Amino acid sequence: MKPTKEQVSDWIENFVPKIDLFFVEEDTLAMFAEHLSEVLVVPRKEFFEHSSYNQIQLVNSFMYWNISDKVKYVIVAQPDWISKISVLSKREILFNQYKVGRGLIFPMSLFPFSSSLPEDYIFEEKGEKFLIIQSNIWN
């Protein structure tokens, strides 16, 4: 059974978050100071108490319940923000998502078409490769 392009488009419309969230520790945030002019930086407590970010789609996609207690801020960004920053910064912030326990991180074994995926979003840790999913990967 193979979904039609229309079905996949509907799934993307209904299930892919419209924003990207990056959960960061205080020292990590300082590393990205030059890239923060186009994003909203929200303190952890305020983020988790704000109704805009408690939509079931966001909670489930990013698996809030797994987020490390070390996270002090959340970067709320438009989907194209991550592609505008340097490759080194992008890799640092994406790998940080793995370290803090954010959702939308999957083993590469789930992606038989992995050769078509951008290397910037693939990480190896403890001998296993992972793909960090962001909105622009879906698109």
Side-chain angles (χ1 to χ4, degrees), residues 42 44-55 64:
V42 183
R44 177 192 179 103
K45 185 176 190 296
E46 184 180 329
F47 176 84
F48 286 112
E49 291 176 355
H50 199 286
S51 62
S52 295
Y53 307 117
N54 284 316
Q55 303 164 22
Y64 291 178

Side-chain angles (χ1 to χ4, degrees), residues 42-125:
V42 183
R44 177 192 179 103
K45 185 176 190 296
E46 184 180 329
F47 176 84
F48 286 112
E49 291 176 355
H50 199 286
S51 62
S52 295
Y53 307 117
N54 284 316
Q55 303 164 22
I56 193 72
Q57 176 192 20
L58 292 175
V59 173
N60 283 342
S61 293
F62 291 103
M63 297 170 44
Y64 291 178
W65 58 89
N66 278 343
I67 302 298
S68 168
D69 290 337
K70 294 178 183 178
V71 166
K72 298 298 181 206
Y73 296 97
V74 181
I75 297 173
V76 180
Q78 292 302 309
D80 64 340
W81 177 76
I82 192 73
S83 62
K84 293 178 183 178
I85 65 176
S86 71
V87 171
L88 185 60
S89 294
K90 180 190 313 182
R91 292 202 44 87
E92 182 70 32
I93 200 165
L94 290 174
F95 184 66
N96 187 66
Q97 301 313 289
Y98 170 81
K99 291 190 306 187
V100 300
R102 191 200 83 180
L104 293 175
I105 299 173
F106 302 98
M108 286 300 295
S109 58
L110 295 175
F111 301 94
F113 53 87
S114 62
S115 62
S116 65
L117 295 169
E119 286 291 320
D120 294 353
Y121 298 85
I122 299 171
F123 294 85
E124 187 169 341
E125 182 71 7

